[in-house]
Amino acid sequence: MRNLFTPLLVMAALPAFAQTQAVTGHVIGSDGVPVPGATIVERGTTNGVTSNADGAFSLSVQPQATLVISSVGYTSQTVAVGSRRTIDVTLAASATDLAEAVVVGYGTQTKADLTGSVAQLSSKEVGNQPVQSFEQSIQGKAAGVFIESSSGKLGQGIRVRVRGVSSISGGTQPLYVVDGVPVVADNLSSTTATTNPIADINPNDIESISVLKDGSASAIYGSRATNGVVLITTKRGKAGATRFNFNVQGGYSEPTHKREFLNSQEYVTLLTESLVNRGTTFAVPANIASRLSGYAGGVSDPLTYNTDWQDQVLQKAGFQQYDFNTSGGTDKTRFYLSGQYSKQKGIIVSNQYERIASRFNIDHQATKWLSFGLNLTATRSVNNRVPNDNAFSTPMQIVALAPITPLIDPRSGQVSGALDPTTGLPNTGFPFYYNPLLSIQGGSYITTVYRLLGNVYAQAKLTEGLLFRSELGTDVLTQNEEQYLSRVTSRNTGNTNGYAYNAATNDVKLVLNNYFSYKKTFAEDHALDVTVGTSYESSTIKGNSVTGTQFASDAYRTIDNASQITAGTSYTTGYTLVSYFARASYAFAGKYLVGASSRIDGSSRFGIERRYGIFPAGSIGWLISEESFMKNNPTLSLLKVRGSIGKTGNAGFPNFASRSLWTGANAGYVGTPGQRPYQIGNDFLTWESTVQYDAGLEYGLFNNRISGEVDIYRKNTTGLLLAQPLPGTSGFSTYNANVGSLRNQGIEFTLTTRNLVGDFNWTTSVNASINRNKVLDLAGPDILGSFLNRAQAGQPLGVFVGPEYAGVDPANGNALYYLNSANADGTINRNTTTNINLAANVPIGNPNPTWTGGITNTFSFKGFDLTATLVGVFGNQIYDGGAPFFSSSFNNGFDNQTRDQLNRWQKPGDITNVPKAIYGGGNGTGQSSRFVQNGDYGRLRSVLLGYNLPSTLAKRAYLQSARIFVQGYNLLTFTKYTGWDPEVSADYVTGGTNGSSNNISQGISFYTAPQARTYTIGLNLGF
């Protein structure tokens, strides 16, 4: 009987088999990277498959079927099959996925269970960007995270502020943790222009970035978490066939903006007018003619030359980058290997940054209960640097030279200033200032960094849900700085017949983490996640430097060829940190959430009586949308409220700030060695403490077509570590103490809308942050920064305080200032004076933005995708420190002037804001609000257009995937600021050894180079 029915069943099934059709394709993300593990299901059935490691799939479906393609972290997509046999699908990043894993301290949590404030970014936000460091890629993409590049110099330090500045004298950068290892992020530069150690991390190796913002999320890192924590997870191999990817891109950069300076005719006209207005011998025509002839290289007609000096130092510059990676493995062993070569020339002549990076990691499942692995990164970077903004040799200060001065001195045939024809030596009187081109021609400053970063781990599964993990990590950074200044630069450096400087710094960090983690769900409704562990960290920095002069020839440039060794130093410093930490979260029925964490830190940096500190945090959450009365709500698909409080610390201070120190430097007498007291100690010195309160709301509307978050927070920082005055009779001027307080408070918004879903997708992501910073108490007088910056109780940190400019007296062209003195009745005297010293110092500007934000639009249609990001910074002011020299109508010397000075006062009755031109007269040149400008700007940060070749065409070329893209970076800037660039922070005022000055001195421009606008084209191949 069985034999009879079997063929009948087969025959009955034949029509069904005949009606099915096979569909193959690839699932890729909007960045062109394959999406392994994506689910492809025939709608209305259980018929489905998952994509392999290459994103490929094959499925037999019924005629006129519809496929539903989904993957964690991406927006699901529905595709009608029709008569197609091949379907390639591009998934857009998901705005809200409650099952998405979010990296937190020492583990992960699902987004549903998260009760802290965490900004999560993926590799799509940081990869394939024409930047040296990943921070530049995520600018404007995370609410509450303010990122600022100080200038257009390559390899420079980048300011990252998470929810404001929380210290006056300590570190203000977040803690960076790469694959569990807190990495070196300290500036090791020998100059006041900071370098950026984070640039040693290849952005294309990054899988995800989590920014821990509130106390609940960051307190697990205790004494180093006040400024936020940035957790970086690198890419790892996945089980499947070995896959290779090759990416190449190239392009060029140019300045985003150039300032307009006087041409030769305008320079001669305005300078002559200022000399005549000065009177006495300055106004004698013969003297004026002689002066102009001298500026023009001795020719009788000063209009012979019209040199645009700015164009001599700002240039178009090339960019090229090559990336290769391979990954794959089995269920037991997975690997990932990558390499990168990147070379970028700067928009400033002689500036260049080159990086070679490689990464290797391997994960092996040895037994059912034991796994182990290795992460290793090796990089070499070479930074051809330019001098600090304040140096006469810095290229940007070339704008001070007169346009009537020739580029090539006709008397010598060399660059002006290179040679005095009468002596045969470098020129000391022509041009009237040192020509920075001579330092480019005859000088170099090269910083080379070798870095080895990695860790090994072992993880044991002790019981169901209970894991033990041990990690040993290290970060070894070796930096070498070499400078040489040849004879041609002697006017700037002194006649030393060549000058050489060499500095070597070695920073070694060791980290050991051991912790247990337990995850278990009881009786379906009770989910528990507990982590308990210890951590040990040590850091040792050793450095030395040597200076030599008197070289037989400029062909010899190394220290061993110097006839005189003029200086030398060496030092060793270090610290240790031992910690105990715990984190626990509990979820009931998937909707009632409780979280808690605590860390005990002990640091060698602080006094013996205050060496240990406790940093606890607690949080709660309610996933309202999981309640029965909210289930299947067609409008409100997600609603979650959360609140937290947490205490964190700041340990970013010199290693021996609490110690009584002695030194042998400058302590000897007539060749006899000696020692002297150097610093008075404080056994009660400890870290600054910040208590942060946070309340958040997460929402989703219309099946999460609209989603977002709102956070409101307050950060109260107390125990600021400040230098306090001592009586001179003590033998010391100051000592370190925990005094004073400041506050940050604000609101953060994020909004994501899936405007169109289908073959044509359009997603918009918006974020905005409002932060208010205020110094509450200094326990002493105001602390001065550079120019007009200061720390003053009741004001934002770095507030500009000085005389208020009142414009120009129409009767005589004199600069006026408001008195702003107090009248007897308590009102403010708004009368004016021409004497700046009689005007009261008042707050005249705030360098801290009132609010920042960004908008990203992502479009995709079939194989095409377009992403555009616009960032904005508003409510801040900028002090132009160079303006008293080049925007002063020759009232402060003979520097070339900006063209707005042509609007100067010339006769009684003129209404203008530019004072009368009086050569060297000082009319309106004092530091005041005249040189404070609105720093608001909006910037089209990036535009990326890509095309993913259909898999059928790619396979003809024996490829798994192929993608071509073009992009522009810093394409447009919208601002009323008249300087080179509103995204600015003069390097020499923010990178010195004085921490207070660095943090206070914000919003300063001083001959600071603009940002670069970059255009690139690239190709990604997978095989």
Side-chain angles (χ1 to χ4, degrees):
M1 200 61 152
R2 178 181 301 173
N3 293 335
L4 176 64
F5 280 104
T6 299
L8 292 177
L9 290 172
V10 171
M11 293 179 63
L14 283 176
F17 282 116
Q19 292 176 3
T20 61
Q21 65 184 75
V23 178
T24 61
H26 278 78
V27 182
I28 58 176
S30 57
D31 58 352
V33 177
V35 180
T39 301
I40 301 94
V41 176
E42 181 180 356
R43 190 167 66 181
T45 73
T46 59
N47 181 32
V49 295
T50 59
S51 60
N52 65 16
D54 299 320
F57 69 91
S58 178
L59 180 67
S60 294
V61 298
Q62 297 296 319
Q64 306 305 315
T66 297
L67 299 182
V68 179
I69 301 95
S70 61
S71 181
V72 174
Y74 293 90
T75 300
S76 299
Q77 191 172 147
T78 301
V79 180
V81 175
S83 61
R84 289 184 290 176
R85 298 285 182 176
T86 302
I87 297 177
D88 291 331
V89 180
T90 300
L91 295 181
S94 174
T96 302
D97 189 330
L98 294 180
E100 180 183 356
V102 178
V103 179
V104 294
Y106 304 100
T108 62
Q109 284 186 286
T110 63
K111 190 173 179 63
D113 294 339
L114 195 64
T115 51
S117 181
V118 179
Q120 180 92 341
L121 300 162
S122 70
S123 58
K124 293 183 282 295
E125 275 83 18
V126 297
N128 288 323
Q129 297 282 331
V131 296
Q132 301 88 51
S133 190
F134 78 86
E135 308 103 298
Q136 297 164 289
S137 299
I138 64 174
Q139 186 177 24
K141 295 181 179 180
V145 183
F146 175 55
I147 300 173
E148 180 181 70
S149 298
S150 61
S151 73
K153 296 178 182 178
L154 300 178
Q156 63 181 335
I158 296 176
R159 299 174 67 225
V160 179
R161 303 291 181 260
V162 178
R163 292 186 169 180
V165 180
S166 296
S167 182
I168 293 177
S169 63
T172 54
Q173 294 282 92
L175 174 68
Y176 293 93
V177 181
V178 179
D179 291 330
V181 179
V183 299
V184 174
D186 301 325
N187 168 41
L188 300 177
S189 173
S190 295
T191 77
T192 55
T194 61
T195 53
N196 182 15
I198 301 303
D200 294 325
I201 301 171
N202 179 6
N204 285 336
D205 280 339
I206 295 176
E207 180 70 26
S208 69
I209 299 171
S210 291
V211 183
L212 313 184
K213 298 187 292 185
D214 71 340
S216 171
S218 61
I220 191 73
Y221 287 99
S223 63
R224 297 172 294 172
T226 283
N227 302 315
V229 182
V230 178
L231 304 179
I232 300 169
T233 303
T234 59
K235 294 177 180 177
R236 312 194 72 81
K238 298 179 176 65
T242 300
R243 180 179 176 85
F244 300 90
N245 290 283
F246 176 72
N247 306 325
V248 58
Q249 59 177 312
Y252 73 92
S253 301
E254 63 185 10
T256 51
H257 177 64
K258 294 182 180 180
R259 300 189 77 158
E260 292 187 4
F261 287 87
L262 303 181
N263 60 32
S264 290
Q265 181 63 68
E266 294 164 338
Y267 182 88
V268 169
T269 299
L270 187 55
L271 179 60
T272 300
E273 180 182 320
S274 71
L275 291 166
V276 170
N277 289 339
R278 175 68 182 270
T280 66
T281 58
F282 290 94
V284 176
N287 291 345
I288 295 176
S290 176
R291 178 188 293 271
L292 294 174
S293 175
Y295 292 176
V299 298
S300 58
D301 182 5
L303 300 181
T304 301
Y305 305 104
N306 186 24
T307 306
D308 189 335
W309 290 104
Q310 187 176 210
D311 279 350
Q312 301 303 315
V313 296
L314 293 177
Q315 63 179 6
K316 284 188 177 181
F319 165 76
Q320 57 181 308
Q321 182 171 296
Y322 307 90
D323 288 273
F324 176 82
N325 68 69
T326 180
S327 63
T330 65
D331 291 337
K332 283 194 171 185
T333 305
R334 300 170 305 281
F335 72 93
Y336 177 87
L337 174 66
S338 73
Q340 181 192 74
Y341 174 75
S342 175
K343 184 176 182 180
Q344 186 165 5
K345 291 186 176 181
I347 59 171
I348 309 171
V349 291
S350 78
N351 188 205
Q352 178 177 287
Y353 187 85
E354 183 180 27
R355 178 177 60 213
I356 300 174
S358 62
R359 168 171 284 275
F360 174 71
N361 63 51
I362 187 169
D363 301 285
H364 179 65
Q365 187 73 44
T367 67
K368 290 183 178 181
W369 62 272
L370 177 65
S371 61
F372 54 84
L374 167 72
N375 302 286
L376 189 63
T377 298
T379 60
R380 174 185 179 268
S381 63
V382 180
N383 189 358
N384 291 63
R385 301 166 66 186
V386 294
N388 301 349
D389 291 344
N390 192 36
F392 279 109
S393 55
T394 193
M396 294 301 295
Q397 290 210 23
I398 202 171
V399 299
L401 297 181
I404 62 176
T405 299
L407 173 63
I408 304 298
D409 189 340
R411 298 163 297 186
S412 66
Q414 299 188 36
V415 173
S416 288
L419 184 66
D420 185 338
T422 61
T423 65
L425 299 174
N427 209 312
T428 59
F430 176 79
F432 48 70
Y433 287 136
Y434 175 74
N435 186 349
L437 291 178
L438 301 178
S439 288
I440 296 169
Q441 173 184 317
S444 63
Y445 197 125
I446 300 174
T447 298
T448 304
V449 175
Y450 294 91
R451 191 166 188 177
L452 189 65
L453 169 65
N455 70 341
V456 293
Y457 76 88
Q459 182 169 289
K461 183 178 179 181
L462 304 180
T463 63
E464 187 64 32
L466 179 62
L467 300 176
F468 172 74
R469 186 179 179 94
S470 182
E471 301 171 338
L472 176 62
T474 188
D475 187 0
V476 181
L477 189 156
T478 300
Q479 177 171 292
N480 187 65
E481 298 171 271
E482 293 182 289
Q483 182 181 27
Y484 184 78
L485 300 171
S486 68
R487 286 164 172 76
V488 76
T489 69
S490 61
R491 181 180 177 185
N492 188 54
T493 59
N495 188 14
T496 58
N497 290 322
Y499 168 93
Y501 170 80
N502 184 278
T505 306
N506 187 248
D507 192 334
V508 178
K509 176 175 284 192
L510 180 69
V511 179
L512 177 62
N513 297 323
N514 292 291
Y515 57 93
F516 294 90
S517 60
Y518 181 71
K519 290 186 178 181
K520 188 75 172 177
T521 300
F522 302 93
E524 296 186 357
D525 285 337
H526 305 274
L528 184 64
D529 185 349
V530 179
T531 299
V532 179
T534 66
S535 178
Y536 170 83
E537 181 176 319
S538 69
S539 175
T540 303
I541 303 177
K542 295 183 178 181
N544 58 72
S545 66
V546 62
T547 300
T549 62
Q550 299 301 325
F551 289 78
S553 165
D554 285 334
Y556 303 105
R557 295 193 168 210
T558 55
I559 292 290
D560 62 328
N561 290 292
S563 298
Q564 294 182 7
I565 302 299
T566 56
T569 63
S570 66
Y571 68 92
T572 300
T573 185
Y575 73 87
T576 57
L577 180 75
V578 61
S579 308
Y580 310 90
F581 57 86
R583 172 173 52 82
S585 63
Y586 168 74
F588 175 68
K591 51 191 173 182
Y592 307 114
L593 314 171
V594 178
S597 67
S598 185
R599 186 178 182 113
I600 300 174
D601 274 340
S603 173
S604 64
R605 285 180 169 172
F606 299 111
I608 192 66
E609 301 293 337
R610 294 289 188 272
R611 190 154 289 171
Y612 285 85
I614 302 176
F615 303 92
S619 58
I620 57 174
W622 181 20
L623 197 56
I624 305 174
S625 52
E626 290 298 303
E627 295 287 359
S628 57
F629 59 84
M630 290 290 293
K631 283 283 190 178
N632 302 318
N633 188 306
T635 302
L636 194 60
S637 46
L638 169 66
L639 184 62
K640 178 182 176 182
V641 293
R642 49 180 168 77
S644 70
I645 179 174
K647 180 181 179 182
T648 55
N650 187 351
F653 300 97
N655 287 329
F656 308 111
S658 66
R659 305 290 184 90
S660 294
L661 301 178
W662 291 70
T663 181
N666 302 317
Y669 181 71
V670 194
T672 302
Q675 58 182 328
R676 61 182 174 84
Y678 175 74
Q679 176 180 282
I680 190 170
N682 180 356
D683 289 342
F684 292 89
L685 193 71
T686 191
W687 32 66
E688 300 174 346
S689 296
T690 298
V691 175
Q692 182 172 180
Y693 307 88
D694 183 277
L697 171 70
E698 301 174 22
Y699 61 90
L701 303 172
F702 311 113
N703 196 27
N704 290 327
R705 288 288 293 269
I706 300 174
S707 61
E709 296 183 28
V710 180
D711 274 85
I712 183 170
Y713 64 88
R714 171 175 284 193
K715 296 172 65 176
N716 295 325
T717 302
T718 57
L720 297 177
L721 198 157
L722 300 174
Q724 294 295 286
L726 283 173
T729 54
S730 68
F732 300 91
S733 58
T734 62
Y735 78 107
N736 296 316
N738 294 106
V739 295
S741 59
L742 61 77
R743 182 181 68 213
N744 287 277
Q745 57 186 14
I747 305 175
E748 298 168 357
F749 306 89
T750 63
L751 172 66
T752 299
T753 60
R754 294 161 54 202
N755 307 310
L756 295 174
V757 178
D759 285 341
F760 182 78
N761 286 278
W762 172 24
T763 301
T764 301
S765 298
V766 182
N767 72 83
S769 309
I770 299 172
N771 186 76
R772 296 289 189 275
N773 172 280
K774 180 185 285 189
V775 177
L776 302 178
D777 178 35
L778 291 174
D782 296 349
I783 305 174
L784 303 182
S786 62
F787 295 97
L788 299 177
N789 291 120
R790 67 175 61 186
Q792 178 175 310
Q795 295 292 335
L797 182 63
V799 62
F800 297 124
V801 177
E804 184 182 2
Y805 186 60
V808 175
D809 188 338
N812 54 28
N814 289 333
L816 297 175
Y817 304 89
Y818 291 109
L819 287 170
N820 281 325
S821 55
N823 294 319
D825 60 357
T827 59
I828 300 300
N829 183 357
R830 294 290 286 173
N831 292 328
T832 59
T833 177
T834 58
N835 187 347
I836 192 173
N837 296 315
L838 297 179
N841 289 329
V842 296
I844 53 176
N846 180 6
N848 301 282
T850 300
W851 70 277
T852 60
I855 302 174
T856 298
N857 279 289
T858 302
F859 308 88
S860 64
F861 177 70
K862 298 187 181 299
F864 291 92
D865 58 88
L866 174 66
T867 302
T869 298
L870 179 70
V871 300
V873 176
F874 303 95
N876 63 303
Q877 284 76 48
I878 298 171
Y879 181 83
D880 192 342
F885 301 99
F886 55 64
S887 295
S888 60
S889 299
F890 295 109
N891 271 279
N892 202 15
F894 30 69
D895 301 46
N896 195 11
Q897 302 292 295
T898 51
R899 295 196 75 248
D900 59 331
Q901 298 307 293
L902 295 175
N903 299 322
R904 77 283 187 190
W905 183 97
Q906 290 181 282
K907 63 183 184 303
D910 282 351
I911 305 299
T912 179
N913 209 40
V914 181
K916 180 180 180 180
I918 308 171
Y919 179 78
N923 188 16
T925 61
Q927 294 184 30
S928 71
S929 63
R930 179 188 177 191
F931 305 114
V932 176
Q933 292 193 49
N934 187 327
D936 295 354
Y937 72 88
R939 174 165 275 163
L940 185 56
R941 176 63 75 188
S942 64
V943 175
L944 173 66
L945 174 63
Y947 175 68
N948 299 297
L949 197 68
S951 61
T952 52
L953 295 179
K955 287 180 178 179
R956 292 181 183 178
Y958 303 99
L959 298 172
Q960 292 293 332
S961 62
R963 171 181 169 82
I964 187 171
F965 65 91
V966 293
Q967 65 179 322
Y969 188 78
N970 287 340
L971 289 178
L972 298 172
T973 303
F974 310 95
T975 184
K976 293 182 179 179
Y977 177 64
T978 62
W980 275 286
D981 199 295
E983 186 180 348
V984 63
S985 182
D987 55 20
Y988 80 101
V989 300
T990 58
T993 57
N994 187 324
S996 295
S997 179
N998 296 345
N999 294 345
I1000 297 170
S1001 301
Q1002 307 176 57
I1004 300 296
S1005 175
F1006 192 83
Y1007 299 93
T1008 307
Q1011 304 291 325
R1013 179 187 300 116
T1014 305
Y1015 306 91
T1016 62
I1017 182 170
L1019 178 67
N1020 301 340
L1021 301 176
F1023 50 94

